[in-house]
Amino acid sequence: YQKFVNCYRCFYKLQPQLTRSIYDQFISQLQASIKEEIQEVKNEGNLEGLFSSLDKIVEEAKDREEPAWRPSGIPEEDVRSTMVPYCLKHRSYLRRILREKEEENRKVAESVLMGRDRIAELQLQIQARQQAWQ
């Protein structure tokens, strides 16, 4: 209130009760505006639903015996603890895909070689028939 009075000192000296009334009205309107903004943010972000789902997660976690994951305060360890299992799983997935692709490529290479052999045989037959015809 004192900061408000200091800003409007001349007006306060003339009518202190009116200044107090204006200050009270200003504060009440400001509080109402802030509450409206908070409600808009809640509605736009669906925060009520998120809060209720968070409460549900907390309730479900009460029955667990193992502790929940908490950051250690050391970013490298926190990232490592979550990323290493993911990276290992992804690496095994990529290795499996690589083996499948290598097998597929081997089969394709075999069929290409068989096709080349067949072409070579057909060329020999063509040459033999051509020589027999001449």
Side-chain angles (χ1 to χ4, degrees):
Y1 178 70
Q2 286 303 320
K3 287 184 181 182
F4 188 80
V5 168
N6 288 338
C7 289
Y8 300 102
R9 182 173 298 139
C10 297
F11 189 67
Y12 176 72
K13 287 180 184 177
L14 293 174
Q15 295 183 345
Q17 274 69 25
L18 186 61
T19 306
R20 182 65 182 190
S21 171
I22 292 172
Y23 171 78
D24 291 339
Q25 186 178 7
F26 173 73
I27 292 298
S28 66
Q29 287 178 350
L30 185 62
Q31 287 174 342
S33 174
I34 290 172
K35 286 179 183 177
E36 286 177 25
E37 286 288 326
I38 290 172
Q39 190 60 39
E40 278 185 39
V41 169
K42 282 181 176 179
N43 293 341
E44 287 178 9
N46 193 19
L47 293 181
E48 294 293 331
L50 294 174
F51 286 143
S52 64
S53 67
L54 183 61
D55 291 339
K56 184 179 173 184
I57 291 171
V58 169
E59 286 297 320
E60 291 173 357
K62 286 182 179 178
D63 298 334
R64 287 189 179 170
E65 293 180 12
E66 64 184 45
W69 179 83
R70 298 281 190 266
S72 66
I74 303 169
E76 295 85 9
E77 287 183 14
D78 295 340
V79 169
R80 190 179 310 120
S81 70
T82 56
M83 290 302 294
V84 167
Y86 169 77
C87 289
L88 290 174
K89 184 178 177 182
H90 192 64
R91 182 175 69 176
S92 66
Y93 167 75
L94 290 175
R95 284 184 176 167
R96 183 171 43 85
I97 295 296
L98 178 64
R99 280 194 302 271
E100 291 172 3
K101 293 298 178 185
E102 286 174 344
E103 179 64 25
E104 186 179 315
N105 286 342
R106 186 187 60 75
K107 289 179 181 178
V108 169
E110 285 177 3
S111 66
V112 167
L113 289 176
M114 287 175 30
R116 286 182 183 167
D117 291 342
R118 179 73 178 134
I119 290 172
E121 287 176 19
L122 290 174
Q123 285 177 341
L124 288 175
Q125 286 178 3
I126 290 170
Q127 286 176 355
R129 288 183 182 172
Q130 185 180 19
Q131 287 175 359
W133 186 75
Q134 290 178 351

